[in-house]
Structure formats: structure tokens, C-alpha cells
Amino acid sequence: MSAQKPERRRTAPDILARKGGEPIVSLTAYSAALAPFVDPLVDFILVGDSLGMVEHAMESTLSVSLDLMIAHGRAVVRSTAQSLIVVDMPFGSYEASKEDAFRAAARLMAETGCGAVKLEGGVPMAETIAFIAARGIPVMAHVGLTPQAVNALGGFKSQGHDAAAREKILADAVAVSQAGAFAVVVEGVVAPLAEEITRAVAIPTIGIGASSACDGQILVLNDMLGLTPRVPKFVKRYGAIGEAVASAVAAYAEEVRERSFPGEAQTYKPRG
Ligand code: KIV
């Protein structure tokens, strides 16, 4: 994050201008409860479709709908003021045609007030990215481990283990950069490949499980806060919020059971 607080919300061009400069700080967030704590401390917030797994207990991101992304995107935009808000395009909303993709992206922009959308895929999505970006919608791309392709990839596994796979991921990153994406998430690749991609493309690379060679980093908020039981190996836990919630609930439960709970009519104050 740049040290100075912005007077206005950050934009996609602000993020693009950070290529090769001060590292870009980003996290996912999905709710009006947590996004305001993240907002002043990061450059952009991604309302990721990972919300299907970490907020809705889905097995993968494949069942996330456009309406669900809009509901969460709206909550995050309303409860923040400084970061660029990027909303993920869910599986099935953009792959069939560039026109479908534009319509879905336009709904995300119009109905949430977000500043950009993100979609997964490299070379096969380049034409779609160019089409959407040329019509005024900033697009962030996502290459390497692309969770919406979990079935084709054979699981949530790191990518780029042989020369052909590395060539393909590099070509994907170059294609999305040339197509007009303003940044690209690089997920689950080894450090030398992340470094090569970062050197090769004209846009900021945002790493997740891709080493510190990238222009910026992103993590799933619930993972780094300790709100999810299982996290990928590369994730460092910076908080123990799950434990904090459990101990607060235990304290409350004990007071209720011992009939020492302090809430009564005289002390009750309405919210707001
Ligand atoms: O959906 C998501 O949270 C993402 C990040 C992991 C980059 O795409």
C-alpha cells in the first residue's frame, strides 16, 4: 500500500501504474463486517469467487452464481471507501462468448459499483479481455492455478512443473497483458516462473502461492485470519480469529448457563 491515504478510491490505472514499483498489497474480502477493516490497509480488495468455498461451504468455486457475486460485491463496495474493488466473474458467466462476458461484466459493474472485474484464463480468454476492456471495463486476469478449471487440472495443485507447462503459463500471462488486462493474478507457480512472468509482462503480477517475485501479493482473507480449518501450504496465518470467536462464544455460553448474563431492559441500548 502506498504510505499516503488516497483522497479518492483507487482505480485500475492506479494499480497498473505500480508495475515494478512499490509492492501492491491486496486481500480478498466478502462482507460488510470485515471489508472496512481491510480497506484502509490495502491497495485493492478482491471479492473473489473463493467466497463459495470459505463463506458458503461449497466444494469448489464452480457453483457460485453471478447473483451471489453481485450480492457480496455490493456489500463490500458499500462498506469501503479507499481500495479499488475487483469482483470475480463466476464460472459460466464469461467463457461462452465475448458478448456474454461483456453482459455479465456490465452487470457486475452496474449492480455493485465495483471498479474492475477479474476472470480466469490466458490465451483462450485474450479476445474476451480485449473486447471487455475496449468497452470501458477494467479487467484483471488470472493464470497458473485457475480454480474454476479444477476438474481439468486434476485438483488444486501447483502448476508449471515441466518446461511445456511453464511455456504455456508464460504465454497465457503475455497474452492477457497484450489483450489489455490491467493486472494479472499468478497462482500456484514456482518462483523462477513467477519471476520470468513478472519480467515479461507490462502489467503488475499479483502472486498467490507464487513467491515474492511478483509485483504484489493477494491472500484469501479467511485463510490468513485463521477462519478456515484447512489452508494451502503456502498460506501464513497472521491471525487466530477462529479461536477468538470460539472463546467469546464460550464466555457468553457460560454466562447464559450460569444465569449471570448481564443483558437486561435497563441496560439495553438500541443500535445506532
Ligand atoms: O477467488 C479468489 O479468491 C481468487 C484469489 C485466490 C486470487 O481468485
Side-chain angles (χ1 to χ4, degrees):
M1 190 190 58
S2 94
Q4 296 226 301
K5 277 193 174 179
E7 279 159 24
R8 54 165 179 78
R9 200 186 266 285
R10 284 190 179 79
T11 64
D14 294 332
I15 302 299
L16 175 60
R18 297 270 293 277
K19 173 70 187 174
E22 188 188 358
I24 297 162
V25 182
S26 62
L27 282 168
T28 69
Y30 317 101
S31 69
L34 292 184
F37 294 101
V38 176
D39 183 42
L41 301 169
V42 301
D43 296 303
F44 75 86
I45 290 176
L46 171 68
V47 183
D49 62 353
S50 52
L51 64 82
M53 297 173 78
V54 302
E55 297 281 337
H56 293 271
M58 294 172 183
E59 284 292 313
S60 75
T61 56
L62 300 185
S63 313
V64 174
S65 68
L66 194 58
D67 286 339
L68 191 60
M69 292 310 302
I70 289 169
H72 283 274
R74 217 180 249 161
V76 171
V77 171
R78 280 189 194 136
S79 59
T80 57
Q82 297 182 32
S83 325
L84 168 68
I85 308 299
V86 183
V87 179
D88 249 343
M89 301 192 70
F91 178 66
S93 71
Y94 63 93
E95 299 90 333
S97 73
K98 53 189 194 299
E99 289 81 8
D100 278 356
F102 177 78
R103 271 187 286 274
R107 272 198 70 195
L108 286 177
M109 299 293 288
E111 296 182 38
T112 69
C114 69
V117 300
K118 177 168 83 59
L119 56 78
E120 295 183 10
V123 172
M125 281 299 131
E127 203 186 329
T128 297
I129 291 171
F131 187 83
I132 299 176
R135 282 157 182 76
I137 299 181
V139 184
M140 179 177 286
H142 185 155
V143 301
L145 169 52
T146 46
Q148 291 175 10
V150 60
N151 292 303
L153 297 174
F156 296 102
K157 304 178 193 164
S158 64
Q159 300 295 305
H161 292 291
D162 58 45
R166 285 193 289 277
E167 276 307 304
K168 183 194 166 297
I169 296 169
L170 178 62
D172 282 337
V174 169
V176 299
S177 171
Q178 289 174 347
F182 72 93
V184 57
V185 170
V186 179
E187 178 164 359
V189 306
V190 291
L193 178 57
E195 216 175 308
E196 194 179 356
I197 293 172
T198 301
R199 268 198 315 270
V201 299
I203 57 178
T205 54
I206 310 296
I208 173 160
S211 87
S212 58
C214 296
D215 294 301
Q217 296 295 325
I218 188 161
L219 284 175
V220 169
L221 182 66
N222 299 38
D223 290 347
M224 61 87 79
L225 289 182
L227 279 169
T228 40
R230 282 189 316 277
V231 294
K233 267 197 252 143
F234 64 82
V235 174
K236 176 176 168 187
R237 282 199 151 150
Y238 291 83
I241 307 304
E243 282 91 331
V245 170
S247 95
V249 172
Y252 161 74
E254 195 179 321
E255 288 187 355
V256 171
R257 290 194 185 107
E258 288 175 351
R259 298 188 185 281
S260 60
F261 176 66
E264 48 182 287
Q266 293 90 321
T267 61
Y268 176 79
K269 275 214 195 109
R271 227 178 283 235

